[in-house]
Amino acid sequence: MKDISCLPGSSKSRPEAMDMGKEVVFQPIGRRVVADPEKTILDLAMACGVDIQSACGGKGLCGKCRVRPGGRVSEPSVHETDLLKHGNDGDRLACQTQLLQGGTVWVPEQSRTLKPVILTRGLSTELQMDPMLRTHEFKITPPSPEDPKALEDLLLEKFGQEANPYHLPLSVFQNLPPIFMDKKGCLTAVTRYENEILDIAPGHGRHCIGLAVDLGTTTVVAYLFDLKNGRPLAVEAEMNPQVKYGDDVISRIGFCLKTPQGKSALSAQIRDCIDKLAAKACKTANVSSRRIMDCVMVGNTAMHHLFLELDPVFLSQAPYMPVTKKAIDLKARDVGLSFAPEAWIHWLPVKAGFVGADTISVALAVRADKVTRPTLILDLGTNGEMILAVPGRMVCCSTAAGPAFEGGHITYGMRAGPGAVEQVVLDPISHACKLTVIGNVKPIGLCGSGLVSLISQLAVAGFITPGGSFNTQMMGSHLRASSDGLEYVVVFADQCDFDYDLVLTSQDVSEIQLAKGAIRAGVEIMMQELGVTKLGEVLLAGAFGNYLDPQSAQQLGLFPLPDQNRVLGVGNAAGTGAIMALISSKDRNHADVLSLNMQYLELTTHPDFQELFVDCMAFNDQD
C-alpha cells in the first residue's frame, strides 16, 4: 500500500461532458471516462488510468490490446482484421478502434496488465470431514472359465451388492474392461449415498476432488479440495464475465428480459468461467479436472437463476419470487461443465428473491444459529444482504444498496484493485488527504471502502453537512465549485495516474447517502422485529466488509455501535460456507435447516421502511 499526502498542486478539472450520457465504462475494473470519437479506446483507457497491454506502443502491430467494446465503433482496417482472425467474435484492438458514443469496454484477462483484488480468504474454521462421496480401494480377480460372471457382478461383490444395491451408470460400464485387464487388479471406486457408483479407475491412491464455488455478482472464486482427506489443493478467482452486461443483477435481469437469447448468453458466460477456473485450479494442483466428482455452489438468487438458466422474470417485480428456493442437485454434464462424467453439483438453498444461497452460506460459516448475543451479519455489495441473529431466532432481509459500495455510479469510482484508494485520513490543518492506495501505485479512483472512509472524514471535519450537502463555508483549495455543483479535490492531477483531478462530487455523496440509508433502515427494522436495542457484535462479510474501516462505517452511521466496538471482518464467509458444505454432509444438511428457520423480512412492503430510509440518510450519529 502507498501513502500519498495530497497538497494543492497543478490542477485540471475533469471534462465537462460527464452528464451528457457519453460515458465509457471499462470493465471489469469499473473505471469511467467521457467518450471521444477522435480518440482510440487505448487513448481513453490511458486517460482514466486503465492499464491495457500494448507492447508495440499503440501502433497496431502486437495485437496485445484486445478488447470487446459495446456500442457503435469505427470500422476495422484490413490489417486489424488480419491480426484478429484467430480471436473471439467481437474482439477489437484498443489502439485501432474508436468508440463513437458511450458504451462498455470489456478488457479480457489476457489484455490486462494489473489484476483486480479478489477476496478469497474466509474464516478459519475446523472442517468436519464427512463428505457426500466415499472412496473405496479394492483388489479384483479377473473373470475365469470356472466362474464366468459378468464384470458388473464381480465388481458389485466387492460392495456387498445384496445389502447395498448400487447403481452403475453407463460411464462406469464403459470403463470396466480396461480395469479388469490391469494385471495388478487394483481399482479405486467413488460412491455417493451408498447407492451410486460415480467412478471406477485402475490403481490405488486415485484423487477424488471437490470444488466449492462462490458465484458473486462481481467476482467468482473456486476452491479445490481433496475429498479423501479434506486437504485444500488450490484457489482460483476471476471477475464475473457477466459484468459486461451490467454492474448489478437488475441490469442483467433486464438484459435477459429484453434480449431473446439473453438468458442463454449469461448462463453460458458464467458456466464457461467456472469451467476455466476449475481447470486452472486443477493445473495448479497437478490433477485432472475429470477427477472433480462433487461441486457445491453458492450465490445470490439472480446468479443462481442465471447459472441454471432459469427465467428471472419474477425476480424483477414484486413480490420478487424465485423459481425455486430448495437446494438443487444436478449432474455437472447437464450444464456443460468438464468434470467427471458422473460429477454432481449441489446448490445450497435460496431464501427469497434477493436473499440467496450466498447468505445461507454466510450464516452457515458464522454459525448464526449458535450466537450468544445479538449479532448483526452484513454482506454488502450491489445488494445488501443482512442477518440479525439472537439466541433462538434469526431474521434476514435484503436492500438495494446499489453499486456505490463497489465504486459504481461514482465519478471516479472503481472496484478494489491496483490504484484504488481504500482509506483516507484528512489533515486537520491543510485539509489534504493522506491516502492508502492498493498496489502501491498512483491513485486512479475510489473503491467502496475508500469512499466510506473519505466521506466519513469529510463529515467529521465539517465539509459535508448532516443532510449530505457540501458546506459552502468550507470553500477553499480543496472544496470548489464546478459546472455540476461543488466538488472536493481528493488528489490533484500531478499526483494521479491520469491527466485531471480526482474529485468527489455532490452526486457521489448522494449515491453513498442512498446506499447508507437503505442499509441502516434495514438494520433498524430487523432490530425492531427482534426487540433488540443494542447490538452485541457486528460481522462484516465479503470484500467490501473485509476492507471497510469499522470506525469510518460507524462515523457514517452505517450500523449502530455494538457493545465494546465488537466489529469483526469475517472475509469471504460465503466461500467458507460453500467449503463446509462440500467437505461435510452434516453442514450441507445444516444449510437447509438454516434456510427453513430464518425469517425473511420484505423491506419494500414494510410500513416503516420508507420513513426510516429517509431518516437514516443523514450523516450523523444515530446511536
Side-chain angles (χ1 to χ4, degrees):
M1 305 300 176
K2 186 176 184 179
D3 288 338
I4 298 176
S5 295
C6 174
L7 298 175
S10 60
S11 173
K12 184 176 180 181
S13 297
R14 57 198 168 90
E16 298 290 339
M18 282 297 235
D19 61 340
M20 294 176 63
K22 294 182 179 180
E23 199 173 56
V24 177
V25 183
F26 286 93
Q27 297 287 19
I29 195 171
R31 290 293 290 120
R32 289 165 167 78
V33 69
V34 177
D36 184 343
E38 300 299 318
K39 293 182 178 180
T40 67
I41 290 174
L42 184 62
D43 291 334
L44 294 174
M46 293 172 66
C48 67
V50 174
D51 286 305
I52 297 177
Q53 290 198 47
S54 181
C56 67
K59 297 181 178 66
L61 301 176
C62 68
K64 299 289 187 184
C65 61
R66 293 170 185 254
V67 294
R68 292 171 203 150
R72 291 178 54 224
V73 293
S74 58
E75 291 295 323
S77 66
V78 174
H79 175 67
E80 183 186 0
T81 302
D82 186 60
L83 277 174
L84 293 170
K85 62 185 178 183
H86 298 300
N88 296 314
D89 290 342
D91 279 5
R92 294 294 301 271
L93 295 183
C95 69
Q96 301 296 302
T97 308
Q98 289 84 34
L99 199 58
L100 304 180
Q101 60 185 28
T104 298
V105 177
W106 175 258
V107 185
E109 183 180 11
Q110 64 269 26
S111 298
R112 304 173 212 153
T113 58
L114 297 175
K115 305 301 181 184
V117 175
I118 300 177
L119 180 66
T120 60
R121 179 179 52 82
L123 282 167
S124 296
T125 185
E126 185 175 341
L127 298 174
Q128 305 177 40
M129 272 300 295
D130 182 29
M132 298 294 294
L133 310 187
R134 295 286 186 269
T135 301
H136 313 265
E137 294 183 345
F138 300 124
K139 294 204 72 172
I140 55 174
T141 303
S144 66
E146 294 78 22
D147 190 15
K149 293 181 178 178
L151 302 186
E152 175 191 13
D153 296 329
L154 292 171
L155 175 65
L156 292 179
E157 285 177 354
K158 297 293 182 180
F159 288 92
Q161 198 255 354
E162 291 182 3
N164 296 297
Y166 280 92
H167 166 68
L168 267 69
L170 178 60
S171 64
V172 171
F173 280 122
Q174 291 170 336
N175 281 336
L176 287 184
I179 293 170
F180 276 85
M181 292 172 64
D182 185 275
K183 293 182 179 179
K184 295 182 179 179
C186 298
L187 66 83
T188 300
V190 179
T191 61
R192 182 177 187 263
Y193 281 139
E194 299 301 326
N195 64 2
E196 181 184 3
I197 297 177
L198 299 185
D199 184 76
I200 299 286
H204 288 171
R206 303 281 292 182
H207 287 289
C208 178
I209 305 301
L211 191 73
V213 177
D214 174 21
L215 174 48
T217 308
T218 306
T219 60
V220 185
V221 186
Y223 304 86
L224 194 70
F225 275 78
D226 189 325
L227 295 182
K228 292 173 66 176
N229 52 30
R231 183 168 62 91
L233 299 177
V235 181
E236 292 290 341
E238 181 52 275
M239 303 300 292
N240 188 329
Q242 294 175 341
V243 166
K244 65 172 72 71
Y245 299 100
D247 285 339
D248 52 66
V249 296
I250 299 301
S251 301
R252 296 179 207 175
I253 291 172
F255 176 78
C256 290
L257 301 183
K258 294 175 183 177
T259 308
Q261 300 301 319
K263 179 161 52 88
S264 297
L266 288 173
S267 179
Q269 286 270 331
I270 197 59
R271 293 175 183 182
D272 182 62
C273 176
I274 291 169
D275 221 19
K276 289 178 179 177
L277 285 177
K280 288 172 68 174
C282 287
K283 184 176 180 180
T284 299
N286 196 28
V287 296
S288 169
S289 57
R290 303 292 284 181
R291 300 302 300 171
I292 296 177
M293 307 285 177
D294 199 13
C295 175
V296 169
M297 297 191 65
V298 302
N300 63 49
T301 312
M303 290 298 98
H304 166 276
H305 279 41
L306 293 178
F307 174 84
L308 296 170
E309 210 170 334
L310 303 179
D311 193 332
V313 59
F314 288 108
L315 296 181
S316 66
Q317 54 190 266
Y320 311 108
M321 293 306 298
V323 172
T324 179
K325 297 196 290 186
K326 296 179 181 178
I328 290 179
D329 288 289
L330 69 155
K331 291 287 189 177
R333 63 170 182 256
D334 292 338
V335 288
L337 295 181
S338 304
F339 300 167
E342 304 302 326
W344 283 91
I345 292 177
H346 178 84
W347 264 95
L348 263 60
V350 303
K351 181 63 185 178
F354 290 98
V355 176
D358 52 350
T359 304
I360 302 301
S361 189
V362 170
L364 177 65
V366 302
R367 306 293 186 188
D369 55 344
K370 306 295 182 184
V371 300
T372 58
R373 60 173 71 90
T375 301
L376 175 65
I377 305 156
L378 296 176
D379 190 354
L380 305 181
T382 54
N383 201 47
E385 290 104 7
M386 301 171 276
I387 301 170
L388 181 60
V390 297
R393 194 175 172 196
M394 297 175 291
V395 296
C396 66
C397 67
S398 173
T399 185
F405 287 142
E406 293 185 341
H409 298 174
I410 304 297
T411 307
Y412 290 106
M414 62 181 292
R415 297 187 181 91
V421 175
E422 65 170 348
Q423 193 167 15
V424 179
V425 176
L426 197 67
D427 187 283
I429 305 301
S430 68
H431 299 149
C433 295
K434 185 179 181 182
L435 311 178
T436 303
V437 183
I438 297 174
N440 198 33
V441 296
K442 288 184 178 181
I444 61 173
L446 297 157
C447 65
S449 59
L451 283 161
V452 170
S453 178
L454 172 62
I455 292 175
S456 68
Q457 291 274 307
L458 292 176
V460 169
F463 280 92
I464 296 177
T465 68
S469 302
F470 279 120
N471 184 354
T472 56
Q473 297 181 7
M474 300 292 286
M475 297 285 286
S477 59
H478 285 267
L479 184 61
R480 68 191 186 191
S482 75
S483 59
D484 299 325
L486 298 183
E487 63 185 22
Y488 185 89
V489 182
V490 183
V491 187
F492 287 94
D494 59 351
Q495 295 172 311
C496 291
D497 204 17
F498 45 86
D499 58 0
Y500 37 88
D501 302 334
L502 193 161
V503 302
L504 180 78
T505 70
S506 299
Q507 182 60 37
D508 298 337
V509 177
S510 296
E511 290 287 344
I512 293 295
Q513 197 174 17
L514 290 168
K516 176 258 180 185
I519 295 296
R520 182 62 184 262
V523 173
E524 295 290 339
I525 286 174
M526 290 195 301
M527 292 177 68
Q528 289 177 13
E529 178 68 25
L530 294 185
V532 173
T533 57
K534 183 74 171 179
L535 295 175
E537 190 170 56
V538 176
L539 304 180
L540 300 175
F544 174 64
N546 188 71
Y547 297 111
L548 182 66
D549 175 50
Q551 184 177 0
S552 297
Q554 290 165 16
Q555 288 173 343
L556 209 62
L558 195 59
F559 48 77
L561 184 69
D563 282 334
Q564 301 176 351
N565 290 337
R566 288 183 59 87
V567 182
L568 306 174
V570 293
N572 186 3
T576 299
I579 292 169
M580 292 166 64
L582 175 70
I583 296 298
S584 170
S585 58
K586 293 178 182 177
D587 281 329
R588 192 176 299 194
N589 293 332
H590 190 199
D592 292 333
V593 174
L594 286 168
S595 180
L596 289 171
N597 292 343
M598 196 181 296
Q599 178 187 351
Y600 172 68
L601 301 177
E602 178 53 65
L603 296 183
T604 57
T605 58
H606 196 284
D608 297 333
F609 178 74
Q610 195 60 40
E611 183 177 350
L612 274 171
F613 170 62
V614 174
D615 291 342
C616 291
M617 285 174 62
F619 291 134
N620 56 10
D621 188 1
Q622 297 165 331
D623 291 309

